[in-house]
Amino acid sequence: MGRPPFLFNVTVKSPIDIRMNENKFAKKIVCVGAGYVGGPTMVVIANKCPDYKVTVVDISEERINAWNSDELPIYEPGLKDRVDKARGKNLFFSTDIDRNIDEADIIFVSVHTPTKTFGEGAGKASDLQYIEQTARRIKENSTSSKIIVEKSTLPVRAAETMASILHSGANSVRFEILSNPEFMAEGTAIRDMEEPDRILIGSHDTVTGNAARDELLKIYLKWVPREKIITTNLWSSELSKLVANAFLAQRISSINSISALCEVTEADISEVAGAVGRDSRIGSKFLEAGVGFGGSCFRKDLLNLVYLCEYYKLDDVAKFWSSVVEINDNQMERFVNCILKTMFRTLVDKKITIFGFAFKPDTGDTRDSPAIYICKRLLEEKARLSITDPHAISNAKKDLTGIDGTAEFVENPYEAAKGAHCLALITGWSEYLSLDYQKIFDSMLKPAFIFDGRNHLDHQKLFEIGFNVYPIGRPPLTHI
């Protein structure tokens, strides 16, 4: 039988050769978790620090095999080129977690911290079971002292929990815990890591804590200017990540709330946002109205922040941040209701083509994507869905598995649009800007509708072709 496609062609080396090769590295870094954060982060570090051995470990053999293949498990612009450059040299992917933990000098913890779905804090608090499991595994397999770096987004003072586990029992091995939250946005993760706005490192203000901080500083100083590296205490670093995501989500919900007002007053949300954003105190970023935010972080971190505020009896603060989530959910429901109302208050057996399923362009990630909620609601109304996306079809199929209704998944957007009653654009992929909308219009049932959930397309041009166009926060352009 032939060699599996994900394996490298390697020459068998003697133990002496292997030891000599290992000794050429200044430090050995291990990242536990090969997902959207751990993978790209370690790829950049490996490229910027060729004298460090970087190994990404994960319990999923399927995921590790994908990292060792030409078909990476995640899509991110620029990622594959950098993997190809470093893989097999100083960048490695492995399922041998225990051995790599023991050999590591620095361990990044980048495991899943989803919102709890059970017990105390269900629906709000972070589920830390994977953090605890990882801490126990590190403790069990470490024969030398190590620096542990929190990369996962964690609630404030989570490092205390990890320290309690790592230092429990009779153990001469010592661990120093740092907080180093990621501020990468999917779709621009490589650029965000290589050209960051800031790097944040939280540590204990002790001799050993500062020494551990300085070791992590050495890594980032390979390519990040010192003035962009912020050092804080451990708790400030943990909270800063939650607050950063909460503020970004709050801006999105703020502009979306105003989009609803624009629609009933005939104001234009783009003009309002443009005028407001010119104020240097406010700025223009994250002021684009749409169907709502998604992704793995915003909702999870907001709910975690709400839970923390409730835990500390800060009820008014909790209500404020909870309203950000409520407005986001209402925005998705408004979009569905607009489709239902416009299409003569019935969607039964009508074909609706969904343009985009990923939570944002330039990623295949669909976690908490608005498309999930919107598609489920449209299926509840008995619509037939034809879903297309450049990179998220496989994830879309998983997200809608077991949902009653008719949904097909089509790679070609022209095929997806054939015979449709309307198009609903949910993800603002650049590919959708260059489509031949005259061709699409000609293939659809009439009257043909477009509901642009991201204000992404040229609405006047679409109207002139013959579409009835329904944007977010702007007056519709209709022929009926």
Side-chain angles (χ1 to χ4, degrees):
M1 295 179 63
R3 186 185 300 273
F6 56 80
L7 294 179
F8 296 113
N9 291 317
V10 296
T11 302
V12 178
K13 297 181 179 179
S14 71
I16 294 176
D17 291 332
I18 293 173
R19 284 195 298 271
M20 290 177 64
N21 193 48
E22 291 286 310
N23 290 336
K24 75 178 183 180
F25 296 113
K27 295 285 183 182
K28 295 178 182 177
I29 296 174
V30 166
C31 178
V32 181
Y36 283 91
V37 173
T41 299
M42 293 301 112
V43 169
V44 171
I45 289 177
N47 274 262
K48 298 296 184 179
C49 305
D51 55 331
Y52 283 62
K53 180 183 179 184
V54 179
T55 305
V56 184
V57 297
D58 200 286
I59 60 174
S60 171
E61 185 173 354
E62 179 183 6
R63 181 174 288 268
I64 291 298
N65 287 346
W67 278 110
N68 281 325
S69 75
D70 288 331
E71 296 292 332
L72 301 183
I74 62 176
Y75 171 75
E76 191 68 43
L79 178 62
K80 189 175 186 304
D81 290 343
R82 288 158 179 81
V83 170
D84 291 343
K85 181 180 177 181
R87 190 173 54 188
K89 298 173 183 176
N90 71 319
L91 174 64
F92 304 90
F93 299 92
S94 174
T95 55
D96 191 349
I97 300 174
D98 297 341
R99 178 180 63 82
N100 281 290
I101 284 175
D102 185 34
E103 293 178 356
D105 300 298
I106 303 172
I107 299 177
F108 285 78
V109 177
S110 185
V111 298
H112 194 29
T113 54
T115 302
K116 283 187 72 176
T117 58
F118 56 88
E120 182 182 351
K124 293 179 181 177
S126 290
D127 185 349
L128 300 181
Q129 62 174 302
Y130 304 113
I131 291 291
E132 179 177 345
Q133 291 169 12
T134 302
R136 293 186 183 281
R137 196 158 189 174
I138 291 172
K139 173 180 165 55
E140 291 168 2
N141 291 284
S142 295
T143 57
S144 61
S145 297
K146 304 182 188 302
I147 297 170
I148 310 299
V149 183
E150 295 177 338
K151 205 67 182 171
S152 302
T153 302
L154 298 171
V156 184
R157 305 194 80 88
E160 281 185 332
T161 300
M162 188 175 287
S164 297
I165 295 169
L166 291 171
H167 293 138
S168 62
N171 192 351
S172 61
V173 176
R174 304 306 297 169
F175 302 93
E176 196 63 45
I177 300 174
L178 303 176
S179 170
N180 177 219
E182 54 84 17
F183 294 103
M184 300 184 299
E186 289 184 47
T188 58
I190 299 300
R191 186 183 68 197
D192 294 342
M193 187 68 181
E194 292 183 341
E195 303 173 18
D197 291 335
R198 81 289 205 194
I199 296 291
L200 179 58
I201 302 174
S203 64
H204 288 299
D205 189 14
T206 62
V207 172
T208 54
N210 291 334
R213 176 202 64 198
D214 291 345
E215 284 296 329
L216 190 54
L217 268 170
K218 288 179 185 177
I219 294 173
Y220 286 115
L221 286 172
K222 298 272 189 177
W223 76 95
V224 181
R226 180 62 181 87
E227 61 269 20
K228 286 193 172 185
I229 303 178
I230 303 169
T231 57
T232 69
N233 72 40
L234 204 52
W235 321 128
S236 295
S237 178
E238 289 180 334
L239 183 57
S240 293
K241 171 60 177 179
L242 290 181
V243 172
N245 280 343
F247 272 51
L248 293 173
Q250 182 264 337
R251 284 177 68 92
I252 295 172
S253 282
S254 292
I255 199 65
N256 280 342
S257 71
I258 301 303
S259 75
L261 184 60
C262 286
E263 289 170 14
V264 297
T265 60
E266 296 188 3
D268 186 322
I269 190 61
S270 297
E271 294 176 348
V272 173
V276 172
R278 291 290 289 272
D279 189 325
S280 60
R281 297 168 300 174
I282 298 172
S284 60
K285 292 184 177 180
F286 281 76
L287 289 183
E288 295 181 357
V291 290
F293 58 74
S296 64
C297 294
F298 283 179
R299 180 185 299 272
K300 174 174 71 73
D301 291 353
L302 273 167
L303 293 174
N304 192 0
L305 188 61
V306 170
Y307 177 74
L308 284 170
C309 293
E310 291 175 343
Y311 178 83
Y312 289 110
K313 309 301 181 184
L314 302 172
D315 294 336
D316 289 343
V317 182
K319 289 178 182 177
F320 173 81
W321 290 111
S322 183
S323 69
V324 175
V325 180
E326 292 171 5
I327 290 172
N328 191 65
D329 293 343
N330 291 340
Q331 188 75 348
M332 291 184 279
E333 183 63 24
R334 285 200 324 111
F335 187 70
V336 173
N337 286 337
C338 178
I339 296 174
L340 179 61
K341 178 182 176 181
T342 302
M343 297 186 68
F344 317 112
R345 297 191 179 278
T346 179
L347 301 179
V348 176
D349 202 36
K350 290 180 179 178
K351 180 178 177 179
I352 299 178
T353 298
I354 304 297
F355 271 17
F357 202 91
F359 84 91
K360 62 184 291 188
D362 294 323
T363 180
D365 193 355
T366 62
R367 288 176 293 178
D368 200 38
S369 172
I372 299 173
Y373 176 87
I374 291 168
C375 287
K376 287 180 179 179
R377 282 286 290 111
L378 294 174
L379 289 170
E380 286 177 2
E381 296 292 339
K382 307 301 181 183
R384 293 181 291 113
L385 302 186
S386 183
I387 299 168
T388 185
D389 188 287
H391 291 282
I393 289 293
S394 60
N395 284 333
K397 290 178 181 178
K398 296 174 185 176
D399 291 328
L400 296 181
T401 297
I403 304 298
D404 291 337
T406 302
E408 62 176 358
F409 303 88
V410 183
E411 296 284 350
N412 188 312
Y414 295 106
E415 291 297 321
K418 280 185 179 179
H421 293 73
C422 79
L423 307 179
L425 187 146
I426 300 178
T427 312
W429 286 97
S430 61
E431 286 88 336
Y432 297 149
L433 295 173
S434 58
L435 294 177
D436 183 344
Y437 283 94
Q438 181 67 61
K439 177 179 178 180
I440 290 173
F441 177 80
D442 292 341
S443 74
M444 293 174 61
L445 297 183
K446 309 299 185 295
F449 299 88
I450 284 187
F451 298 89
D452 187 350
R454 297 295 179 184
N455 290 343
H456 185 59
L457 304 175
D458 185 334
H459 298 159
Q460 184 61 38
K461 184 175 180 181
L462 292 171
F463 175 71
E464 291 170 0
I465 288 173
F467 284 103
N468 298 286
V469 185
Y470 289 80
I472 297 286
R474 296 177 184 172
L477 300 173
T478 72
H479 300 279
I480 56 175

